[in-house]
Amino acid sequence: MLWIVLLFLVPVQSLKPVILVPGALASRIEAKLNKSERSHFYCSKTSDWYTLWLKLQSLIGPAVNCWADNFKMEFNEGVFSNTPGVETRVPGFGEGHTLDYVDNFSYIHYFKDLVDAVMSLPGAQDGVSVRSAPYDFRYSPPSKECELYFDRLKKLIEDTYKASNSSKVVLISHSLGGLTTSTFLNTLSEEWKDKHIHAWVSAAGVFGGAIKEVKVLVSHGVINLPDFVSNRLVHRNLARTVMGNYFMLPRSPIWGKDEVILQTPKANYTTDNFEQLFADMGVTDGAEKWKTVRDASFIGDPGVKTYCFNGKDIATSASFYYKDQKDFPDQIPETVSGDGDGTVPADHFRCVTSGTAQYR
């Protein structure tokens, strides 16, 4: 990702500060427990703050049951929340190296190379030139938690602008971070954006949603590990509780209403009949969860100079199908793959709707 730095930072007369908005699964989440009962006899009821995501050992063997019980969400009267006795927070907001790695062992690299590249440029200042804006990716608009995140992000931009001698900020987002950023920018006045934001760079933005979220909710969950290592259906059942997974589902008009996303011998499912898909999956509140977030994103004109980048020549899920009805939904469906960036098929790449946006 060094090319992003060179393209957007080096040509200007002074180094522009960067704020990073990560994608799904890339922010660390900490939890504190004060539960009235255990989900399993070997799970803790109480704890001080500890790493809930991502601590790799918590996903292995029986430990995954404890992790899933603490990570899952409740849904009551249209509102998503933690389950009783679970308090969560996102550490490292505003710091420079928060998003270097995804996991607690520093095994899964994320923004480290980009951060190191920016900090190696002349004039770079620690704690100013690169700042992270992680968030609890389980939540999405229109939640109160997301509104609070937008407030914190706005203040972070303002503080960074002041700390860098009134130098406008470059926002760099990845994947879900793009949809989050476009929705955030829509909440701000043109005057504020003209004053504080130099440009926004979206890498692999999922502006029309991600088709793999269908597989996540139907059969798989977000963790791709063998069943003997980590129970897939535990992950799948957890995924069905998480607000962000519904927010990332494919949506029209980028996905056509007659475009088959999942096929079984008895039904074809498109963005136009997700309600039926949820019912056939046995997720009784799935349709209500989907309706809560379906119209909460914004992909219109963000009001800032925008650059969108997507990869290519990577095998990417284009649709899914079951040969045998009895395998739906608990078995993993077959995948039809095509060209894309690993998340979004190439024929569904989109940038935000803007006269100033450039797509590459």
Side-chain angles (χ1 to χ4, degrees), residues 28-39:
R28 285 181 290 137
I29 301 174
E30 295 180 343
K32 185 176 183 180
L33 306 181
N34 186 21
K35 306 170 78 168
S36 60
E37 57 185 24
R38 307 173 192 271
S39 59

Side-chain angles (χ1 to χ4, degrees), residues 110-122:
Y110 191 46
F111 274 129
K112 180 176 176 12
D113 291 344
L114 175 58
V115 172
D116 289 346
V118 174
M119 294 307 300
S120 70
L121 295 173

Side-chain angles (χ1 to χ4, degrees), residues 155-332:
K155 188 175 187 306
L156 178 64
I157 293 171
E158 292 171 343
D159 291 347
T160 304
Y161 171 84
K162 293 175 183 176
S164 57
N165 297 317
S166 301
S167 183
K168 293 184 180 182
V169 169
V170 175
L171 298 174
I172 297 181
S173 65
H174 173 243
S175 191
L176 174 61
L179 194 57
T180 301
T181 300
S182 63
T183 305
F184 162 70
L185 290 172
N186 186 50
T187 68
L188 304 168
S189 70
E190 292 302 316
E191 181 182 7
W192 188 94
K193 288 182 281 192
D194 288 344
K195 177 179 179 179
H196 293 94
I197 298 183
H198 173 70
W200 168 33
V201 183
S202 168
V206 291
F207 297 110
I211 190 171
K212 67 181 183 181
E213 289 300 317
V214 174
K215 183 178 177 181
V216 164
L217 293 173
V218 171
S219 67
H220 204 271
V222 298
I223 305 298
N224 190 21
L225 292 172
D227 274 356
F228 69 85
V229 175
S230 194
N231 190 308
R232 174 177 54 82
L233 293 182
V234 169
H235 290 281
R236 189 276 306 271
N237 294 339
L238 161 64
R240 292 177 175 181
T241 75
V242 173
M243 185 181 194
N245 289 331
Y246 294 88
F247 185 67
M248 281 188 67
L249 282 169
R251 64 194 69 198
S252 61
I254 294 178
W255 293 84
K257 291 187 176 182
D258 59 351
E259 188 173 355
V260 177
I261 294 174
L262 176 69
Q263 183 178 50
T264 73
K266 291 185 177 182
N268 291 331
Y269 301 103
T270 70
T271 59
D272 205 35
N273 66 347
F274 275 153
E275 292 86 352
Q276 186 61 51
L277 172 60
F278 297 133
D280 293 346
M281 287 161 48
V283 183
T284 56
D285 59 359
E288 186 180 357
K289 290 174 177 176
W290 165 234
K291 290 176 182 177
T292 299
V293 302
R294 180 175 55 193
D295 300 318
S297 64
F298 177 81
I299 58 172
D301 189 345
V304 300
K305 188 190 306 180
T306 303
Y307 301 86
C308 296
F309 295 84
N310 283 85
K312 62 178 183 177
D313 301 328
I314 300 173
T316 303
S317 300
S319 64
F320 308 103
Y321 67 93
Y322 284 93
K323 294 179 180 179
D324 195 325
Q325 188 67 34
K326 68 178 177 59
D327 291 336
F328 171 79
D330 290 342
Q331 301 304 313
I332 300 174

